[in-house]
Amino acid sequence: MLMTSGPWVWIAGLLTLAIYSFLYKDNPFYKVAEYIFVGLSAGYWAVFLWWNYAYPNLFVPLGEGNYWNIIPIVLGFMMFTQLSKRTSWLVRFPLTFVLGVSLGLQVIAAVEGDMVPQLQGTFSPFAKGALFNTYNFWTSIGLIVLLVGVLSTLTYFFFSREHKGVLGVTSKIGVYFLMVAFGASFGYTIMARISLLFGRLHFLLSDWMHILR
Amino acid sequence: MRLQVPLAIILIMGLFTIVTSFIPARPIADLNQTFRNWYIGIITFFIFLGTINLVRVNGEKIKTKASDWQYSIILITALAVMLIAGFYKGRASTDEESVFMYLYFNVQFPLEATMYSLLAFFVTSASFRAFRARNKEALCLLLAAVVIMLGRVPVGTAIWKGFPEVTEWIMSYPNAAAKRGIRLGIDLGLISMALRMILGIERSYMQ
Amino acid sequence: MSILERISNLDRRIIFLTVAIAVIVPLFLPLRLPIEVTPPVQQLYDVIDSMPARSVVLISIDYDPSGAPELQPATLSIMRHCFAKDLRVLVLGLWAPGVPLGVSALEEVAVGEFGKEYGVDFVNFGYKPGGAVTLVNLGRDVHDVCRQDHNGTPVDSLSMMDDVRAANDIGLVISMSMGIPGSDQWIWYYHARYRGNLATAQTAIGAPKYYQYLQSGQLVGLIGGMKGAAEYERLVGRRGLATVGMDSQSISHLLIIGFVLLGNIIYWLEKRKK
């Protein structure tokens, strides 16, 4: 990476400390760092979108005679009509085009990319018969747990009937499955957060201060 | 014109995308590909719009001297610096040894990474203050969390060799079951909402 | 104020300090505890290991600097494995802020360590906006979505791309992902249509969600967080930042478990007193 030595690494180090100063309390150093971050990020996205997509895929082909590209460019520019109250209704044209395409794809993706394979994954191990002959003991138990868990969790989210009797017991089991899953997410979240802290502290101690080798 | 045409566009594009997904024949599939390319082209302008909006909101703050307006000057300056760095030499502006990349690796990168790393401190503090086994369900959550935390770090294995295997089993079955149940519920919701929007029943996005 | 009250009202800055210490101390006094390889990581390793030479692996950099401590070590290890097996590598990014990280990884591994040639052994397409919709188009016609590479070179002029035209020509896709667009889109929009092998490396926050896709066979491997990256580093036989970080993880995890237990002990004692 381009974080080697000289003034740049000092800038990176001091900005890191400016953000950490928030841990003591909110202060101007943190705020300056925060606003620099927002400004730079916005500029970064604009530059990358231009050089990686808008320029090569929209404007270069247009220059080469692909006049169909006028349509997305015009619809794209119509997004800017939102900036004025008088013309803001025009934004509905690009917006509905974009929504139409993405929602259409979403319907198909939810069915063929998620629901069908997920239900297959839940039920197909049982269709093969002889569960315990096909898989080892703990996998077989796991697959039964998986089936019970999916059905009971779905029952918990079924709000059209009062959760009483069999429905009540099943949804209660579902709650315990959800708790295990939330516990798992919590455990993994700790790892994620510590990783980020490790990354920054490692940078401060090695690249900046050269205490660590 | 203001309502019916947009409703017609979403209906036609939505239904066309769904129906033609099952038709791999070339002219239809090519047309679909073209529509999707237009989609990508249009959403590119969303980001440019966002940038313009950011300048507008902060420019307004500076003009009216709203609270913390001085910081808005810093924001706009940072934005301008990045834009100049990204365009002044044409495409070469984003080359590996460019000012743009130095700004990314030494300013944007540390700021973003550090900002999110603050959460390590807050999550620890919250674990101490808020993570209470107030009932059986919460106890279940707490136990699962502790077992999984121990099963995912080497020190857990040093304490008991079985932690990684138990953790892997919990992740693969009870955890996957609940996540799958949630996901299937979300899918049903997504499909119904998408169809409501395509059919023009749900129009709140036009407000 | 009783001892119980004092502990329960502990200044949060003291807690912050203990976390920092728990992360820093192992950097100077490493424990070097062994790292066990879990099945989801081993599965991905085996898939890459069994691919014929010159097959194409697409690595999608779907993260930004905040995901780098977890995902960059995994990216480096996967690239090392691919180039050691003489596989060809395509890189693209669904997240613009991740693209320079992909460039940096290629520079370090492909050029620096393996002396691979750009356009022959690897290609970087750079950032591709559009998320899910882009992936649908990509599987059908790679050259249509990626007209120019990251540096503006026309993709048609790169010899490696002569026989890489659509999803069929890509042996394995690995989404290094920390959110949307990322692995979800690769699974629902790309894999559902074009099949083939798909794997993911996730930040730890995202990882639990993907076990369901592993079970259903939609994923052929899963690297979860820094631990997963450390496992892959072990498999490729090269100690990297993820392995170094695991000692800090161990101590911090013990500390946080300690805080959770302490908080609950105080809660139960206070409840009994009332």
Side-chain angles (χ1 to χ4, degrees):
Chain A
M1 285 191 223
L2 300 174
M3 285 188 295
T4 46
S5 57
W8 284 108
V9 81
W10 273 86
I11 291 170
L14 292 173
L15 287 171
T16 303
L17 292 186
I19 297 284
Y20 279 144
S21 68
F22 182 76
L23 291 169
Y24 185 70
K25 63 176 187 185
D26 200 359
N27 64 75
F29 293 111
Y30 172 77
K31 277 223 167 84
V32 167
E34 191 186 21
Y35 278 73
I36 290 176
F37 168 60
V38 177
L40 282 192
S41 295
Y44 178 93
W45 275 95
V47 168
F48 257 72
L49 265 174
W50 176 259
W51 290 124
N52 279 258
Y53 193 82
Y55 176 70
N57 285 45
L58 286 177
F59 293 98
V60 169
L62 185 69
E64 288 166 355
N66 180 359
Y67 297 113
W68 284 108
N69 270 11
I70 287 174
I71 295 171
I73 291 170
V74 168
L75 284 169
F77 273 110
M78 281 168 96
M79 298 298 303
F80 299 137
T81 58
Q82 214 180 0
L83 296 169
S84 154
K85 269 190 184 150
R86 215 160 44 89
T87 54
S88 65
W89 65 275
L90 283 165
V91 83
R92 290 175 182 177
F93 295 95
L95 190 66
T96 46
F97 181 89
V98 164
L99 280 173
V101 173
S102 62
L103 292 172
L105 283 173
Q106 187 179 294
V107 171
I108 303 294
V111 177
E112 73 171 353
D114 218 19
M115 295 183 77
V116 172
Q118 289 296 299
L119 289 171
Q120 267 174 351
T122 310
F123 292 104
S124 64
F126 298 90
K128 286 173 189 163
L131 190 66
F132 285 88
N133 292 337
T134 316
Y135 305 100
N136 71 38
F137 176 77
W138 285 110
T139 306
S140 303
I141 297 288
L143 289 167
I144 296 167
V145 168
L146 185 80
L147 177 67
V148 173
V150 172
L151 296 177
S152 58
T153 308
L154 277 173
T155 311
Y156 175 74
F157 288 113
F158 180 69
F159 300 118
S160 303
R161 280 235 179 117
E162 198 183 341
H163 287 184
K164 281 198 307 193
V166 180
L167 208 62
V169 174
T170 316
S171 76
K172 191 78 187 164
I173 295 170
V175 171
Y176 281 97
F177 273 97
L178 286 169
M179 290 302 132
V180 171
F182 293 153
S185 294
F186 176 83
Y188 269 76
T189 302
I190 298 290
M191 192 200 287
R193 298 312 180 207
I194 297 296
S195 303
L196 299 186
L197 180 60
F198 164 80
R200 293 324 294 155
L201 293 179
H202 190 274
F203 160 75
L204 288 177
L205 296 169
S206 60
D207 298 271
W208 189 37
M209 296 179 185
H210 300 290
I211 301 172
L212 261 180
R213 286 282 150 210
Chain B
M1 174 73 178
R2 291 186 180 202
L3 187 66
Q4 298 309 322
V5 176
L7 284 177
I9 294 175
I10 196 170
L11 179 74
I12 293 166
M13 291 316 302
L15 291 182
F16 180 80
T17 307
I18 293 171
V19 173
T20 55
S21 283
F22 303 101
I23 307 171
R26 253 212 109 91
I28 297 288
D30 285 348
L31 189 59
N32 246 328
Q33 180 107 353
T34 304
F35 285 153
R36 290 193 294 259
N37 278 333
W38 291 359
Y39 164 99
I40 303 166
I42 296 166
I43 61 132
T44 305
F45 286 82
F46 272 102
I47 305 280
F48 294 137
L49 177 68
T51 312
I52 292 169
N53 247 333
L54 192 71
V55 174
R56 227 166 62 125
V57 169
N58 282 280
E60 197 65 29
K61 259 176 95 174
I62 296 166
K63 220 166 81 182
T64 58
K65 293 215 162 33
S67 75
D68 286 347
W69 64 274
Q70 297 90 337
Y71 296 112
S72 293
I73 298 176
I74 293 171
L75 186 150
I76 291 179
T77 310
L79 171 63
V81 167
M82 207 58 166
L83 288 177
I84 293 166
F87 286 116
Y88 84 110
K89 277 202 287 186
R91 185 86 195 216
S93 309
T94 57
D95 279 355
E96 240 183 293
E97 293 287 333
S98 60
V99 175
F100 182 84
M101 280 302 159
Y102 274 100
L103 282 169
Y104 169 83
F105 276 114
N106 298 287
V107 183
Q108 191 178 333
F109 184 110
L111 284 173
E112 184 170 355
T114 313
M115 208 158 301
Y116 284 94
S117 78
L118 286 176
L119 296 170
F121 298 103
F122 299 133
V123 82
T124 311
S125 179
S127 304
F128 176 56
R129 294 185 199 287
F131 201 175
R132 301 275 187 268
R134 288 176 207 278
N135 51 40
K136 278 185 276 179
E137 289 87 347
L139 182 66
C140 177
L141 192 155
L142 195 148
L143 288 175
V146 170
V147 169
I148 278 153
M149 283 169 76
L150 288 171
R152 278 292 169 257
V153 286
V155 77
T157 318
I159 294 168
W160 179 49
K161 273 201 170 335
F163 270 130
E165 273 181 49
V166 172
T167 299
E168 203 55 36
W169 190 87
I170 293 174
M171 295 309 293
S172 303
Y173 303 110
N175 163 68
K179 295 270 159 46
R180 187 171 282 176
I182 295 171
R183 189 64 230 172
L184 289 169
I186 292 173
D187 282 333
L188 290 171
L190 278 178
I191 292 168
S192 71
M193 180 51 98
L195 292 176
R196 281 171 62 86
M197 287 172 81
I198 289 170
L199 297 173
I201 302 164
E202 171 63 50
R203 302 173 185 184
S204 58
Y205 64 90
M206 285 217 237
Q207 248 99 84
Chain C
M1 200 188 273
S2 71
I3 297 176
L4 267 186
E5 281 169 337
R6 259 190 225 175
I7 299 174
S8 88
N9 292 325
L10 198 65
D11 190 322
R12 64 188 188 127
R13 280 170 287 204
I14 293 175
I15 299 175
F16 294 168
L17 194 64
T18 58
V19 183
I21 292 170
V23 174
I24 291 172
V25 169
L27 288 173
F28 293 98
L29 301 168
L31 304 169
R32 289 183 185 265
L33 292 167
I35 292 161
E36 299 278 325
V37 177
T38 53
V41 178
Q42 185 70 51
Q43 281 170 35
L44 173 58
Y45 181 86
D46 292 343
V47 168
I48 294 179
D49 220 48
S50 62
M51 288 173 79
R54 307 307 290 163
S55 302
V56 176
V57 176
L58 190 155
I59 300 175
S60 185
I61 308 288
D62 307 332
Y63 60 94
D64 67 11
S66 66
E70 297 177 89
L71 292 169
Q72 190 73 357
T75 304
L76 292 169
S77 295
I78 288 170
M79 282 183 181
R80 283 190 180 110
H81 192 194
C82 290
F83 289 121
K85 296 290 299 179
D86 195 24
L87 304 176
R88 292 178 291 168
V89 173
L90 289 178
V91 170
L92 62 79
L94 300 182
W95 287 44
V99 171
L101 300 172
V103 174
S104 150
L106 283 171
E107 198 59 35
E108 183 178 339
V109 179
V111 181
E113 293 174 17
F114 288 88
K116 294 286 180 182
E117 195 182 334
Y118 187 80
V120 178
D121 302 303
F122 68 97
V123 167
N124 184 3
F125 293 139
Y127 171 55
K128 292 288 153 247
V133 178
T134 296
L135 300 184
V136 176
N137 278 7
L138 185 83
R140 197 167 169 264
D141 187 348
V142 176
H143 290 243
D144 183 38
V145 174
C146 309
R147 288 163 187 266
Q148 294 183 356
D149 71 356
H150 177 57
N151 299 316
T153 311
V155 163
D156 289 333
S157 68
L158 302 168
S159 66
M160 176 179 153
M161 296 307 296
D162 290 346
D163 61 344
V164 184
R165 305 235 146 235
N168 284 344
D169 306 317
I170 298 169
L172 170 67
V173 174
I174 310 170
S175 167
M176 319 295 296
S177 163
M178 64 173 289
I180 297 170
S183 301
D184 284 347
Q185 284 59 42
W186 280 104
I187 294 169
W188 302 332
Y189 294 87
Y190 181 89
H191 182 266
R193 277 172 192 248
Y194 307 113
R195 304 291 160 185
N197 286 333
L198 174 66
T200 179
Q202 287 286 324
T203 53
I205 286 187
K209 184 176 149 191
Y210 291 92
Y211 276 84
Q212 55 178 317
Y213 297 108
L214 206 58
Q215 190 275 334
S216 63
Q218 289 163 280
L219 291 177
V220 294
L222 166 64
I223 296 178
M226 188 178 258
K227 170 69 178 5
E231 291 173 32
Y232 215 95
E233 282 177 355
R234 191 190 141 178
L235 286 169
V236 295
R238 186 164 165 149
R239 218 176 120 83
L241 265 187
T243 310
V244 174
M246 285 322 288
D247 285 340
S248 297
Q249 291 282 4
S250 284
I251 302 303
S252 319
H253 275 59
L254 286 183
L255 176 80
I256 292 168
I257 290 171
F259 271 129
V260 170
L261 296 179
L262 183 64
N264 275 281
I265 290 167
I266 293 169
Y267 169 71
W268 283 101
L269 287 176
E270 280 176 347
K271 207 171 153 185
R272 251 182 45 183
K273 235 165 77 177
K274 276 177 196 164

